[in-house]
Amino acid sequence: MLGSSYFELKGRVAVVLGGPDGVSAAVSRMLAERGARVAVVGPDEARLADLVDELRWGGAEAVGILAEGAGAAAMDAVRLGVLAELGRPDLLFVLPCPSPSGGGWQQTVDSGLTATFQALQAFLPGMAEAGGGAVVTLAPCGPDPATNAVGGGVTALTRHYARLVADAGVRANVVSWTPRESTVDDAAFAALYLASDAAASMTATTLDVAGTLMRL
């Protein structure tokens, strides 16, 4: 069947940045179920360990990489940690959690757009040099200007990098999503689809699971 062949990810190394809950946790579980070797990256060591233990109990090869601090140097340390634990990544999911309500403009932009930029800067050169891979980013859509600015920025940034690495065989796509608990699995499955061979011809594309209410 199409689902069983195109969504088979056995042996592929997948990096999931975004923490041990929400869309990133759902993506990590879906990857593990399909045989990927998963590196989950986040700032909360205890919760990260809980998710990794869950994935391992299910039979997956999974590691937790603690993201200590922010900035380019911290992201490069994450990249080196992934290489040491699992080797070169084939799949990269950049799924930062939206800032808590009232976090303010700068915090929202830093935790969403800037973090995405730093992740792409750290991981894409190695993937391009290796000659292949897939990247999926998460662009939030919300009721406040900062969240929408992050969403628009992530979308534009991902398309920019998609053009840069297309000739190297690396694809980069976006999931547009309204942060709601009821749609976490929808966003996660969309991300999985874009990273899989089922979307092998897609790059610089936005898959919108934000919901029509945010468009009214």
Side-chain angles (χ1 to χ4, degrees):
M1 293 178 61
L2 179 65
S4 61
S5 59
Y6 276 77
F7 288 90
E8 174 62 46
L9 299 171
K10 187 173 179 60
R12 298 191 195 182
V13 175
V15 181
V16 184
L17 295 105
D21 53 14
V23 176
S24 56
V27 166
S28 298
R29 293 183 181 105
M30 291 179 183
L31 289 166
E33 289 169 359
R34 287 159 179 82
R37 303 164 64 208
V38 185
V40 188
V41 182
D44 188 321
E45 187 170 11
R47 294 174 67 192
L48 198 62
D50 287 344
L51 177 58
V52 170
D53 285 346
E54 176 192 331
L55 300 180
R56 288 175 176 172
W57 274 109
E61 183 177 355
V63 298
I65 305 291
L66 187 63
E68 300 185 276
M75 187 60 68
D76 197 53
V78 167
R79 179 185 64 84
L80 293 174
V82 172
L83 290 173
E85 293 280 356
L86 294 180
R88 181 188 68 82
D90 304 292
L91 310 174
L92 174 66
F93 297 84
V94 188
L95 313 169
C97 298
S99 297
S101 179
W105 175 276
Q106 196 62 56
Q107 182 182 353
T108 302
V109 171
D110 286 346
S111 64
L113 181 57
T114 304
T116 298
F117 169 70
Q118 291 166 348
L120 297 177
Q121 283 279 89
F123 282 93
L124 273 180
M127 296 175 74
E129 183 179 351
V135 177
V136 181
T137 61
L138 189 67
C141 177
D144 61 287
T147 298
N148 286 321
V150 169
V154 166
T155 300
L157 189 66
T158 306
R159 289 176 177 170
H160 170 78
Y161 277 101
R163 290 190 292 269
L164 291 182
V165 298
D167 289 343
V170 180
R171 301 184 296 108
N173 292 291
V174 186
V175 174
S176 175
W177 176 61
T178 301
R180 289 199 303 264
E181 186 64 30
S182 62
T183 58
V184 163
D185 286 344
D186 294 340
F189 191 78
L192 183 73
Y193 165 72
L194 289 172
S196 75
D197 291 343
S201 63
M202 296 173 65
T203 195
T205 298
T206 300
L207 192 55
D208 185 0
V209 292
T212 55
L213 288 178
M214 295 307 302
R215 306 299 180 194
L216 300 178

